[in-house]
Amino acid sequence: MKQLRSFTLLATAALLLGLVASPVLARKHDDKPKQTSEYPDSTRTAPKLDLTKQQDQKHLQDGYDALNKGDAATAETTLQTLLDSSKSKYAQAMALRGLALLKYNAHDYKPAIALLQRALDNGVLPNDDYFAVLYMLAVAQQADGQYQASLDTIAKWRAEGKKETADSYAVEGNDLYRLEKYPEAIAAVKKAKLLSGKPEPQWDQILMASYAASGQDDQLVQMAQDNLAAHPDDPQAIEMAIQALQRAQKYPEAIKVMEDARARGLLGSEADYVLLASLYYNQALSSEDAKPLANKAIAVIKEGMSKQIMQPNAQNYVLLGKASYVAGDIPAATQAFQKALPLATDGEPALQIANIELTASHYAKAKTMVNQAISKGVKHMGSAYLVLAECERGLNNKTARIAALRKAAQEPDTADHANEMLKKLGASGK
């Protein structure tokens, strides 16, 4: 996203790049035979079960009961004991499955993957359990960042199980997004939404992130605005719409969304207020009639500070000072920069004051402030040295002016202008 001048806007990536697949939940183990398979068209031949001991059956049920109740310690002890002691391959595979889920829930993905793979390799799982474990493996691989492996596993699950679900296409879309295959990710998530009667909010995040990453800003904006229209009071929908509009550089539209949210009391964070004020300020800089927009930026900042949402820190006072300056209120601008001065860790407020003093032809005061700015450090040192050079010009100190211009000539963004000035003074850039 192209940044607006002077102030860095909120990053879109934060909300658009944090996408996690929905976790697979363990189904309660049932020792009764199923009447209908969940995978009736599977190409896999279901093996015969070898669970014959009632004790194994009871331990397996106890382990899954503990798992379903959230008693991880009991579940782990029971299932691990069963895994170590039972001769039934089915009991072992189901114990492995339960232990894998415990690891997954603890975000310990690599051991979970290993346990799931062991359960699959066991070869005795009935089709419904086999494909549930295979699906869980895909999700665990995705959680572990193994996106291509997860994609391959989902493809195997779908091919062998002969089943299509919305969730499986959502997992596939997430994998494809992470692999930077954005058109394919978009197609997969659209398929998920088509198959689902109630799409998950995370799916739209994948879709919007894919639109953003592939430069489809119009699609991104349309989707974000549709989502906002459907959920006008949802803070996340508001934020997503603002981010989409920013990315598409539709700043007036972003302002409109933010102002509507502010009017309804839904604009509550400092970042929101800073962003809205920054949008107004940057719009003012490019407007032929800057004052009204600058005054709106000032109003937002003052409201934010009065509500104690915006902190009285250096950055916010500098923003207030810049907006006041553009609005033509020099005393207010100076006052804001003066408040920022003792709070700042850099020389930006001092540089702003130096510019104001320079404009008023107060060369000695301006020089004092610009030297303070240079000593503390500013983002654009070349500009600071140009200000210093102008101060020295006003003080009729040609030698010091040339020295300042030579410093400015060493900075890429001011080199051309500084060298031109040095040439007019009959001095070299060295």
Side-chain angles (χ1 to χ4, degrees):
M1 181 186 71
K2 185 177 179 181
Q3 290 182 354
L4 297 179
R5 287 179 291 171
S6 301
F7 291 90
T8 302
L9 300 182
L10 295 180
T12 64
L15 287 175
L16 299 181
L17 298 178
L19 308 169
V20 182
S22 302
V24 178
L25 300 179
R27 295 182 292 108
K28 184 175 180 181
H29 174 65
D30 191 348
D31 57 352
K32 296 180 181 179
K34 294 183 182 294
Q35 300 299 317
T36 304
S37 173
E38 295 180 18
Y39 299 84
D41 301 320
S42 168
T43 61
R44 180 177 182 264
T45 302
K48 293 182 179 180
L49 300 186
D50 64 350
L51 184 62
T52 58
K53 290 185 177 181
Q54 190 172 1
Q55 185 179 20
D56 285 351
Q57 195 172 17
K58 181 181 183 303
H59 286 163
L60 191 57
Q61 188 67 62
D62 289 345
Y64 272 82
D65 283 344
L67 191 61
N68 290 325
K69 292 176 182 177
D71 186 352
T74 300
E76 183 174 13
T77 299
T78 305
L79 293 172
Q80 186 64 53
T81 299
L82 180 63
L83 177 62
D84 294 338
S85 62
S86 177
K87 294 182 179 180
S88 166
K89 295 187 71 177
Y90 172 78
Q92 293 170 13
M94 291 300 289
L96 287 165
R97 177 188 176 188
L99 291 168
L101 184 60
L102 287 169
K103 293 293 185 183
Y104 179 88
N105 289 342
H107 308 293
D108 199 359
Y109 302 123
K110 291 189 187 303
I113 291 168
L115 290 164
L116 290 168
Q117 193 62 62
R118 285 176 61 189
L120 293 170
D121 293 343
N122 181 291
V124 181
L125 284 172
N127 277 355
D128 285 359
D129 292 313
Y130 172 84
F131 287 111
V133 171
L134 190 62
Y135 188 90
M136 185 178 170
L137 175 62
V139 175
Q141 288 169 329
Q142 183 177 95
D144 193 47
Q146 301 181 39
Y147 303 118
Q148 186 59 55
S150 174
L151 196 61
D152 294 341
T153 302
I154 279 291
K156 178 180 173 67
W157 174 87
R158 197 175 289 138
E160 293 184 3
K162 298 299 179 183
K163 187 172 183 176
E164 291 187 336
T165 66
D167 284 339
S168 71
Y169 280 105
V171 173
E172 179 180 320
N174 199 345
D175 286 328
L176 289 165
Y177 169 77
R178 301 294 188 176
L179 293 169
E180 300 183 4
K181 296 181 179 180
Y182 305 120
E184 296 93 331
I186 290 167
V189 177
K190 284 184 173 180
K191 186 70 176 285
K193 295 182 71 172
L194 185 66
L195 291 174
S196 174
K198 190 177 180 182
E200 295 290 333
Q202 298 95 321
W203 301 356
D204 281 343
Q205 291 182 20
I206 299 171
L207 192 53
M208 292 178 70
S210 298
Y211 281 139
S214 57
Q216 299 184 54
D217 290 342
D218 289 342
Q219 294 285 348
L220 175 64
V221 168
Q222 186 61 56
M223 186 177 175
Q225 289 180 322
D226 289 346
N227 185 49
L228 180 60
H231 308 284
D233 297 327
D234 183 354
Q236 188 175 41
I238 294 169
E239 186 172 358
M240 289 170 68
I242 293 166
Q243 291 175 347
L245 290 165
Q246 282 182 255
R247 180 179 178 84
Q249 299 182 41
K250 296 180 180 291
Y251 304 123
E253 292 88 340
I255 288 173
K256 184 177 179 181
V257 171
M258 296 194 80
E259 282 291 14
D260 178 68
R262 183 163 73 117
R264 292 185 293 130
L266 299 175
L267 210 67
S269 73
E270 180 174 32
D272 290 334
Y273 272 83
V274 171
L275 173 57
L276 180 55
S278 298
L279 285 170
Y280 274 130
Y281 170 72
N282 283 283
Q283 285 291 97
L285 292 179
S286 59
S287 173
E288 292 183 1
D289 188 10
K291 188 173 181 177
L293 289 166
N295 279 330
K296 287 184 177 181
I298 294 166
V300 171
I301 297 168
K302 287 185 176 180
E303 178 183 305
M305 287 187 172
S306 68
K307 291 182 176 181
Q308 297 184 329
I309 296 172
M310 288 184 70
Q311 298 302 309
N313 57 35
Q315 292 79 9
N316 291 339
Y317 278 129
V318 166
L319 177 55
L320 177 60
K322 287 184 174 182
S324 299
Y325 186 85
V326 173
D329 192 344
I330 306 305
T334 302
Q335 183 182 48
F337 293 134
Q338 289 286 0
K339 287 182 178 180
L341 205 58
L343 304 173
T345 58
D346 58 27
E348 293 297 338
L351 182 58
Q352 296 297 331
I353 295 172
N355 273 306
I356 291 174
E357 297 292 357
L358 182 61
T359 301
S361 300
H362 300 156
Y363 300 116
K365 291 181 179 180
K367 179 178 176 179
T368 298
M369 296 311 301
V370 75
N371 277 327
Q372 181 178 328
I374 291 170
S375 66
K376 293 188 72 173
V378 293
K379 186 174 181 180
H380 300 289
M381 291 296 290
S383 297
Y385 280 114
L386 287 178
V387 171
L388 178 58
E390 280 300 293
C391 293
E392 299 295 3
R393 181 192 64 79
L395 295 170
N396 296 314
N397 192 339
K398 183 177 179 180
T399 301
R401 182 186 180 191
I402 290 172
L405 287 170
R406 284 174 174 165
K407 288 284 189 180
Q410 295 174 16
E411 302 294 328
D413 56 340
T414 54
D416 290 344
H417 180 66
N419 282 320
E420 183 180 347
M421 295 299 296
L422 285 167
K423 185 177 180 181
K424 289 180 179 179
L425 291 171
S428 69
K430 296 181 180 179

